[in-house]
Each structure stands twice: as structure tokens, then as C-alpha cells.
Amino acid sequence: MPKLQVSVQDEQKAFEADVAAIEKQWSSPRQSHLKRPYTAITIAALRASIPAPSSASSTQAIKLWNQLHEHNKAGTCELTFGTTDPVAVSQMAKHQQTVYVSGALCGFSEVALPGMDHADYPWDTVPKVVSKIFKSQLWHDQRQRQFRLRHPIEQREDLENWDYMAPIIADGDMGFGSLTSTMKMAREFVDAGVAMIHIDDLAIGMKKFTVGQGRTIVPTQEYLDRLTAVRMQFDVMGSETLLLCRCDTDHAEFITSVVDERDHEYVQGATKKVEPLQKCLRAAQAEGKDLKAVRTEWKAKAGIMTFDEAVGVVASKEELEAYKAELSKQKFTSLSGRREVAAKIIKQDVFFDWELSRSAMGQYMLKSCVKGIVERAIAAAPLGDVTWARMDSPHWGDIVEFHSEVRKVYPDRLFAFGYTGDYDFAKAGFSDEEVKNLHLDLAKLGIVWQVQPIWSLQGLNMVTEQFSKMWQTQGIAGYLKSVQRPALSSNPMTDGFEKLSYCGGYLADAFFETVAGEPIVERR
Ligand SMILES: C[C@](O)(C(=O)O)[C@H](CC(=O)O)C(=O)O
């Protein structure tokens, strides 16, 4: 293999130019809010000698960044929904500015072995769907442009001119493994042309939906490391791709480890000397008992609560106030720090053991609350561009508290919000009128990107079921009446096979004509 013909001086010069270019990019209005734990020198040294191809992703990211800021200024929002289907995306272009590629949908429709939203599909599943959708957007953009340009300028005003290049926002889940898998996934997303991806703080493989054991999150630092790995990958590629810091702490019931003292305030333990939960579950399993019921019973017997709550139970009013005052002197206090403070102030012993309550899989129990979510979001904010606190159910008080608390620290922060599939707004206390204006009320809090992630499940299933019933009972007469005639007679005509421009017939003709040497665009 020949050696590179570059002198060390030239190598150094190119390196320094790269460092300067990175520093310039980082201080641009688009990126100046980001704070990295590494330098431009480190990133420049991590690059290959040929620039990474990130321009499509960067173009789309900047477009999205501008859209979101315009909404923020106007107090409005983008309302989009999730799909994995390029045909559906071609219609969304007429009403949505962005497209969402949902992990849950990919897990149902884009893999050989479908399943519930456990994020157990291969790590490159969602990037591949983004690539498919991005290429279809390019194709629609190309065929529309060619169709327009084959018409003289005076006729073009009347021709369709949709913005097919809607920025794609995609689900990066938890990064699918260690930091290097997270980086590889981020790279595939950039290569695919994504505008923004979201990364969350969920533990891999631990989502349980039916057994009453909800979400498990990872320690704060592990979450921040994931985000940093993605940011680093974007930086190595020199891309402008946006990072949406999603936090799934709301209603999470477990945390994988207590290694990070920032999480200690929210970890629960037993406050009574009981046998360990794991031992109790093993015995119950051997006896064939209902594990869910045994777990609930154990929790009540063990007096499950956080250390501070345990202090609250045994301390006098004055002691509790003194305890809280002492804690407020520093931002975070570890469990051992809390024990020391309690030992000095509280006369009674505070029994608290978070090992006794570890789950069958070893997780620690967690008490999620808005304060904890705010702390995570604030810690993550400097690494990303937009924040999303995913909620299990919509609680207006929590929504307002979360977004206003984050904005106290980051007044210009932009937020995302997911209308997760089975939100029960009536049960959550929303009146019909409040639901009607909800997207606008959320926009006022800075929630500029709002998504119904899984429309393809509920919405498409409903429409498909209705059509399939009609087709089965009415045959072609029903099709003509309820689909074909309205589609053909609507103005403009619904996109479909009859519309050659939409299906790319003219584009294919243009290729044939070009090969045959026929002029297809008149020179003016
Ligand atoms: C956004 C989401 O991650 C998805 O995969 O679409 C899901 C959607 C849902 O559960 O409705 C999520 O919010 O976790």
C-alpha cells in the first residue's frame, strides 16, 4: 500500500484548519447554546481525512431549527404524526412541516418479527426507515420539479409545488447498547438524512407493559453519556443534526443503579426490617403465587419510601425543617450525606434500606416526580437542542411546572411533546374546550414540536378496517362510490395512479427522452 504523500507540516496545517472550522461552527447561532465536555482539537483528531457526508442531514436540521424558532416566536407549533410509509409521507407534505418515524411503529411494521414497543428490533431499523422515507421525499421533489420545469414559466404558477422535503424526526430510543452502538446508530441516522433524533434515559430491554412494572431508567450520568456520544458523533461528522433530549423519568418505577448521587433523592427503600423482595418473590414463585399481588403486599409491609420521606415519618417538625435547611445548602446530597445530616439532627434512628427492595432483575425502586425530571432535563439541555419529557398521562399541572422550571434556567429552550397513543384526556381532567386548544396552550410554554407518534396503528387500522368491510360487502361498486369517484372528482385530484405527475410517469419519460437526445426543457 502506498504511503500518504503528505508532509507532517501539511498534515498539521490541515488539522489546525479543521480545528478552526469546528470552533467556528460551534460558535454559530445554531450551535452556540451547546456545551461539550470535549474540545475541537479532540474532535478534529477523531475525524477521517475525507469529510463525512452529512450535508443532507445538516440542510434538513437547519430547516427544522428555523421552523421551530419561527413557531416559538409566533407562539404556534408544528403538529405532526408518526408513520413508516413513504406514500403517507407524500400526503403529509401538504399539511405538515415535519415527519416522525416512530420506533414503536417500526417495531410493528418494519421488521420480520414484530412486537410491542420494547425497542427490541435491530439498532439500525429506524435509520433504515428514515433512509427509505428521505429517498422517497427526494424522488417526489425531483419529479415535481421536473414536471414544473417542462412547463413554460407562465404556466407554472398553477402547478403543484409542495415542499416534499419535510425534515424527518426519528426515534433513537436509548441508543441500543453501549456508547459505540449509540454512535453507530447516530451515524446511520445522519447518513440517512435525518433532521433530528431523540435519545432517552430508558434502560435497554426493561420495558414491561402488562405486569404492572413500568419503565426503568438509567442513572443521570449514563443518560448524559448517551447524549454526549451522539453529540460527539455529530461533531465528528461535522453535521448540524439536531439532538432531542427525551427524558422518560415521568412515572418510571425503577432505576438500574444508584451509582450517581444526583439520583439518590428519588430512590426508594424499605423502612421496615423485612426479608428482601427478591427472596420473597423466589419463594412465591416456587409456591405458584400471583407475583403481582405478592409484590404489592411486600411493598406495603416494607414501608417503601425515599430516605427523605422516611426522615419525615420519624422527625419532629423542627427537626425536619432543620434537616431540609441543611440539605438545601448543596445542590445534590448522596444517601450517605443525607444519613450524616439526619444523624446529627434527628433524635430517632431512620431505618432505610434500598437493597431490600431491589426488584427480581436487580433494579432499585424509584419515586418519579417533576422536580427529578426537571433536574435531568436541565443537566441534559447543554448537550442537545430540544427537550421532551415523555409523560405516561397528560397532567396539566405537571406539564406547566416542568416547562416553566426548565425555562427558568434556559429561557429560550424549545420543547417537544408526544400525544402518546392512549392518553385519556377526560380522565386527566381536561374539558373538551381545553383539549381543543391544548396544542396552542402547549405552544405558549415553548412546546413547538408536537407529535401523535402512532397514528398508523390506531388511525390507519381504523380506516383500513372500515374499507375492508366496505369492500367485502359492496365490491367494486362500493369502491367506485366511496373511493375512486371522490378521488377523481376532488379538486385538485387525489394523488394516485391516475395522476401521472404524482406517480412519476413524466419523470420516467424525461429519462427516456434524455437518453434519446430529445430536449425536454425549452431553453429561454
Ligand atoms: C414515541 C414513541 O417512543 C414511539 O416509539 O412512537 C412511543 C409512542 C407511544 O407509546 O405512544 C412512546 O411515547 O414511548
Side-chain angles (χ1 to χ4, degrees), residues 100 102-104 117 171 198 207 215 246 388 390 420-421 453-454:
Y100 180 60
S102 140
D117 185 19
D171 189 347
H198 60 80
K207 275 193 203 168
R215 292 163 185 260
R246 170 169 143 163
W388 173 7
R390 186 215 182 268
T420 295
I454 52 168

Side-chain angles (χ1 to χ4, degrees), residues 67 69 94 149 187 290 301 370 453:
Q67 287 169 343
H69 275 91
K94 299 173 186 177
L149 293 177
R187 185 183 171 122
D290 173 357
K301 210 167 72 192
V370 177

Side-chain angles (χ1 to χ4, degrees), residues 82 100-107 116-117 121 171 173 198 200 202 207 209 215 246 248 388 390-392 418-423 451-454 457:
Y100 180 60
V101 179
S102 140
L105 291 184
C106 287
M116 183 83 190
D117 185 19
Y121 38 81
D171 189 347
D173 286 290
H198 60 80
D200 60 48
L202 287 169
K207 275 193 203 168
F209 297 101
R215 292 163 185 260
R246 170 169 143 163
D248 276 53
W388 173 7
R390 186 215 182 268
M391 305 183 96
D392 260 7
Y419 296 94
T420 295
D422 51 6
Y423 274 0
V451 63
Q452 194 334 304
I454 52 168
L457 274 180

Side-chain angles (χ1 to χ4, degrees), residues 1 153 155 216 239 264-265 291 387 453 482:
M1 203 176 286
I153 199 160
Q155 288 173 19
T216 301
S239 85
H264 289 189
E265 183 178 341
L291 292 184
T387 292
S482 56

Side-chain angles (χ1 to χ4, degrees), residues 26 30-36 231 235 381-385:
W26 290 2
R30 152 73 194 99
Q31 296 217 7
S32 57
H33 61 283
L34 298 169
K35 304 274 170 293
R36 286 113 168 143
R231 176 58 57 202
D235 287 337
L383 295 164
D385 306 285

Side-chain angles (χ1 to χ4, degrees), residues 271-286:
T271 56
K272 307 268 165 51
K273 287 194 176 103
V274 289
E275 64 170 345
L277 172 63
Q278 287 176 356
K279 199 170 157 204
C280 170
L281 288 175
R282 270 197 303 271
Q285 194 166 21

Side-chain angles (χ1 to χ4, degrees), residues 11-65:
E11 181 188 51
Q12 184 62 19
K13 244 196 196 144
F15 174 65
E16 279 164 19
D18 206 11
V19 173
I22 295 171
E23 279 166 352
K24 193 165 164 226
Q25 188 183 23
W26 290 2
S27 58
S28 69
R30 152 73 194 99
Q31 296 217 7
S32 57
H33 61 283
L34 298 169
K35 304 274 170 293
R36 286 113 168 143
Y38 46 76
T39 63
I41 296 178
T42 309
I43 294 300
L46 284 170
R47 288 183 170 178
S49 56
I50 292 180
S54 68
S55 68
S57 176
S58 292
T59 305
Q60 295 302 84
I62 289 169
K63 183 171 175 175
L64 176 62
W65 186 242

